[in-house]
Amino acid sequence: MTALPPEPRKLNRRERVQSMIFSEYLPVRPYPMDVTTWLGRGPADMMRQITVYYGIRGAFTDFLVEEAGVVTGFVPPHMRPGPGVLLTPFKVIRKALHFHPEDATHDPRLAQLLSEADELDALPLADLRWRDLLQVPDRAISLMELSRDMRIDYLPGTAIAVIRLGIVTALLGRRELLAELTGGAPTRTAASERALAEMAGMVRADAALRELFAAKTPDEVVAELDRFPGFAAALGAFRHDFGRKETASPLLVSPPTLAESPEVIVGMVAGLVDSPPQDDRRSRSEIALRQLLRHPLLRPKVLQAAARHWVRAAQAGVAYREDSHFFFTASLPALRRALLEIGRRMQDAGALDEQFDVFHLRWDEVAGIPDVATMSEESVERLRGLVVARAARRAELAGIPVVDVRDVFRRDDDEDALVTGAPAGGGSATGPVRVIRDVADFPRLQQGDVLVCPYTNPAWTPLFLRASAVVVDTGSIASHAAIVAREYGLPAVMGTGDGTSVLADGERVTVDGGTGRVTRG
């Protein structure tokens, strides 16, 4: 029986803001293995260390409630100034002067990160001895230190560049140009979108391949790609170059990565076959720059040059923020493959029914096994008991979100609006609703649909090429979906809380990104 969620306690403003942020990153319930590997020692720990470096204590710590090893809820972390907070302005200025976001792609630490991630991917996990296999997760997680150090160095310059451009546009009365000005910079995400568009072009150019895409589901297409070696090679290259992204949350290792989900990639390609994407972000950014430079106060050549520099710096900053997310998951596939191989061996030893059941265990419970092949019957039964008990508790919590959004996203008293939320810009647009709950639904989104979803992450970005507007249950105006929507010029409403349950597929609605209202179209 599914448990009913208790009434949420009232949150203060600080807690509501933090819950808005975490609601996007915890769209599904973490497993014990998530908590004790990638979530606890990876991205969350990286962000905790970054905030500590800049004088903030308590961020990304003790924010999950656990009962008998199962995550049952979320508590907004209590962030507070640390003893070194007075030095923060000097640290920020020093970093911004020495580390420019446009130089990040040439930083030798990035090359080291990708090289070591490639080495981990190439490991013959099935041939490793048990103790050597147990070292792979620690090696994968340790690569996060390189991402942490680079973020500490480059994020100050990113923030200063964007804030500076925001101040300049505000002072000139051109604030409406800010979103367009900061878009259009080359990113890994944009490169992945171009690769998807190229694969869609391959489908359009091959009558037999196009017929296969039209008649079969993405899973069935993948099963028949041996007949189309050119497209199969392009799909393999995409999985290698862009497949290290998460499909659910950057904090979790339990969901499959994009590289493990060729049917998802094929589904994204299928959506572009009949409706080739029109990516005009770069041209819109150049138009916005010309509009800015026409301001009377920027007529002197020296100020024109300064304005161009400020815009390029802000674009580089936004691009670094996007790419740093892309790169810090570089070792995620290796970590997940190692954990599944550990699970397979534990299944062979009788400790698990399925290899995925390893995610019901904590890392210390697995790492403490001297040799999986010689486990005692007592150890096997103890581990099986933990898995059964935790799986049963998760089943009881099915349908209850980790972050209770009922008090976070308060519905405005608006009788005319079907849904309300935070206005994330982009004007307004009208179209049919398409509720996309996870990556399996990606092929359902058609050109011109209003994308309605519980959350997004970089793996969802290609959907924005087809959507006419975006409505998201979670997140804030600074979340991934809001940033990408502004870059694409799409109306977006964030933090509706209940958009996916209130809005129905095919329902025609108008999304107003300026007021945060969704009304009948």
Side-chain angles (χ1 to χ4, degrees), residues 185-254:
T187 64
R188 293 299 293 163
T189 299
S192 71
E193 293 163 6
R194 289 194 298 273
L196 289 171
E198 290 171 3
M199 284 193 284
M202 295 174 68
V203 176
R204 285 192 295 273
D206 187 320
L209 184 56
R210 186 164 191 166
E211 182 179 353
L212 176 66
F213 267 72
K216 303 287 187 177
T217 66
D219 285 311
E220 294 169 333
V221 170
V222 171
E224 297 189 31
L225 283 182
D226 288 345
R227 296 164 42 204
F228 304 94
F231 185 88
L235 177 61
F238 185 94
R239 293 169 68 184
H240 176 271
D241 295 341
F242 306 109
R244 287 168 167 165
K245 294 189 287 189
E246 74 283 359
T247 56
S249 166
L251 300 183
L252 306 181
V253 65
S254 53

Side-chain angles (χ1 to χ4, degrees), residues 403-460:
V403 182
D404 195 333
V405 298
R406 287 174 293 169
D407 189 52
V408 176
F409 304 111
R410 297 173 181 166
R411 284 290 302 270
D412 292 337
D413 187 13
D414 189 332
E415 295 181 357
D416 295 331
L418 299 171
V419 166
T420 62
S428 65
T430 300
V433 166
R434 193 69 58 199
V435 179
I436 306 295
R437 298 187 183 278
D438 54 38
V439 293
D441 289 337
F442 281 10
R444 297 179 55 245
L445 187 74
Q446 301 300 310
Q447 191 72 30
D449 283 349
V450 173
L451 171 61
V452 179
C453 54
Y455 65 93
T456 72
N457 59 50
W460 292 59

